[in-house]
């Protein structure tokens, strides 16, 4: 299986078709610990940290990655946790870009 972290997000056109649930589940199998949400239109993962400063540092790393890839998450975070969520707003559903970003975000916590 090709390592999703080596891929780059591609510009997604307005008319692109969102992934079906089956397609999304196949992509999900290539990431760790992410789950399908909102009728398979979003993926989400919860991360735990020792304190607020560690969670904030992680959120800043995710933000830098999103800016680099021009594909952005929704994030909620607080003392000891961060929840990262990806969906492709332009197509109101999931795209390969969401799974590429999920793999890259997961890698931030393994280094
Ligand atoms: C103009 C800019 O490239 C687009 O708005 C990008 C920015 N980041 C994005 N992020 C996400 N998650 N979905 C999008 O459709 C999207 N579009």
């Amino acid at each position: 299986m090709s390592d999703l972290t080596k891929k780059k997000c591609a510009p997604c056109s307005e008319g692109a078709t969102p992934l079906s649930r089956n397609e999304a589940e196949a992509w999900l199998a290539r990431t760790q610990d992410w789950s399908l949400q909102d009728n398979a239109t979003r993926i989400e993962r919860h991360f735990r940290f020792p304190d607020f400063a560690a969670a904030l540092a992680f959120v800043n790393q995710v933000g830098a990655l999103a800016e680099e890839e021009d594909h952005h998450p929704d994030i909620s975070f607080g003392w000891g946790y961060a929840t990262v969520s990806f969906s492709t707003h332009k197509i109101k559903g999931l795209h390969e870009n969401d799974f590429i970003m999920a793999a890259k975000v997961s890698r931030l916590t393994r280094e």
Side-chain angles (χ1 to χ4, degrees):
M1 283 212 240
S2 72
D3 177 359
L4 287 180
T5 61
K6 291 185 172 39
K7 295 174 84 97
K8 295 290 283 177
C9 289
C12 169
S13 57
E14 297 280 346
T17 308
L19 295 175
S20 66
R21 176 179 288 277
N22 287 345
E23 290 166 328
E25 284 170 350
W27 281 105
L28 202 67
R30 298 171 64 178
T31 63
Q32 277 90 33
D33 304 322
W34 291 76
S35 63
L36 281 180
Q37 303 292 333
D38 299 343
N39 194 24
T41 60
R42 184 169 64 86
I43 53 174
E44 180 178 282
R45 181 176 172 183
H46 305 285
F47 298 85
R48 304 226 31 95
F49 298 96
D51 53 29
F52 184 86
L56 179 57
F58 171 73
V59 166
N60 280 308
Q61 283 182 296
V62 174
L65 197 54
E67 285 295 293
E68 186 184 316
E69 295 284 343
D70 192 29
H71 198 75
H72 301 83
D74 293 289
I75 306 173
S76 62
F77 76 103
W79 197 102
Y81 79 95
T83 301
V84 181
S85 169
F86 283 103
S87 181
T88 300
H89 312 141
K90 214 171 282 174
I91 61 173
K92 296 182 176 54
L94 286 170
H95 182 277
E96 177 183 347
N97 289 342
D98 297 305
F99 295 92
I100 291 168
M101 288 304 294
K104 292 182 178 212
V105 166
S106 292
R107 188 177 55 176
L108 293 174
T109 59
R110 289 201 300 272
E111 280 152 1

